[in-house]
Amino acid sequence: DIVMTQSPDSLAVSLGERATINCKSSQSVLYSSNNKNYLAWYQQKPGQPPKVLIYWASTRESGVPDRFSGSGSGTDFTLTISSLQAEDVAVYYCQQYYTTLPLTFGGGTKVEIK
Amino acid sequence: QVHLQESGPGLVKPSETLSLTCTVSGGSISTYYWSWIRQPPGKGLEWIGYVYDSGSTTYNPSLKSRVSISLGTSKNHFSLKLSSVTAADTAVYYCARAYGSGTYYFDFWGQGTLVTVSS
């Protein structure tokens, strides 16, 4: 299995400040033939299903605010919220889809307001 | 807009089989990969498996011996069966759509249904 490790487990950020979440995979999720990283980010608010924010490590899903951005390649990835808003309080998960045996998620990072 | 809705019993006895159905509306079930994902209370996400519109399946090896995912006869729903359940199978179960071959991130999700395993 590709193990996805997120850090930190939780963070508290002031409104309007930057939040940075890290995700590390136990092996590279970069497919050399197309130079794409098979990595997605999700946001999950309490009582709701996850919502995809980013795929291919850095492509924003339609309708996602541009304060959310994804970066990284190979085994190290980052989700950045450039200016935290109250509605961004949630748990964030990364997911690799480089291999389906099995598809795996990170353990989650809880973002709160300081 | 694609809409997914899970349905099934909210309580299952230990050693019995958990059965859930996901009804898909607002879009075709064809050419996509339809998954089940679960989340134990207060914990993270675990992918269970998927079925493609041809009926072919791929399962999480950790659950493979107990899992079956299939398309419904009307082709607007798909189902999950998980046998020999224990308390460790208590979770919110989500159905979700993966975009396509090689692109297995989930762009549409159901609201989820809590299944509790208890006698």
Side-chain angles (χ1 to χ4, degrees):
Chain A
D1 297 13
I2 297 180
V3 177
M4 308 299 290
T5 303
Q6 288 185 232
S7 62
D9 292 336
S10 64
L11 73 160
V13 176
S14 300
L15 288 172
E17 296 299 305
R18 179 186 300 261
T20 302
I21 300 167
N22 301 301
C23 175
K24 188 175 185 68
S25 57
S26 61
Q27 65 186 74
S28 176
V29 298
L30 173 62
Y31 195 42
S32 56
S33 66
N34 60 11
N35 202 36
K36 286 188 172 183
N37 288 282
Y38 285 57
L39 190 284
W41 287 98
Y42 299 85
Q43 175 193 66
Q44 186 178 31
K45 297 181 179 180
Q48 296 185 19
K51 170 190 169 185
V52 66
L53 299 175
I54 303 282
Y55 54 93
W56 300 128
S58 60
T59 301
R60 231 179 346 261
E61 175 76 330
S62 175
V64 172
D66 61 6
R67 64 180 180 273
F68 291 93
S69 63
S71 62
S73 185
T75 61
D76 293 280
F77 300 90
T78 300
L79 175 69
T80 301
I81 309 172
S82 60
S83 175
L84 190 75
Q85 305 299 303
E87 61 265 32
D88 301 334
V89 169
V91 179
Y92 293 83
Y93 294 94
C94 59
Q95 178 227 332
Q96 67 78 22
Y97 49 100
Y98 182 88
T99 176
T100 61
L101 290 174
L103 296 169
T104 49
F105 294 86
T109 295
K110 187 175 185 179
V111 174
E112 299 171 308
I113 305 293
K114 184 187 292 183
Chain B
Q1 182 79 340
V2 175
H3 182 75
L4 291 81
Q5 180 67 57
E6 304 88 351
S7 58
L11 181 64
V12 181
K13 290 183 168 54
S15 80
E16 295 190 343
T17 296
L18 177 161
S19 295
L20 295 174
T21 296
C22 180
T23 302
V24 180
S25 58
S28 172
I29 209 163
S30 298
T31 74
Y32 293 103
Y33 291 72
W34 303 93
S35 271
W36 289 96
I37 296 158
R38 69 181 183 178
Q39 184 172 37
K43 296 189 177 180
L45 300 160
E46 180 181 33
W47 174 73
I48 298 169
Y50 67 63
V51 60
Y52 183 52
D53 72 348
S54 64
S56 65
T57 54
T58 298
Y59 301 131
N60 190 323
S62 70
L63 298 167
K64 188 175 181 179
S65 64
R66 299 194 291 131
V67 171
S68 175
I69 299 174
S70 59
L71 290 174
T73 52
S74 65
K75 281 227 165 181
N76 73 331
H77 68 274
F78 61 105
S79 300
L80 168 71
K81 291 188 187 299
L82 181 66
S83 64
S84 304
V85 297
T86 70
D89 296 310
T90 293
V92 174
Y93 285 76
Y94 295 101
C95 56
R97 187 185 85 168
Y99 189 76
S101 182
T103 311
Y104 302 106
Y105 65 87
F106 304 102
D107 57 353
F108 287 98
W109 296 66
Q111 281 300 306
T113 187
L114 175 62
V115 178
T116 302
V117 178
S118 175
S119 56

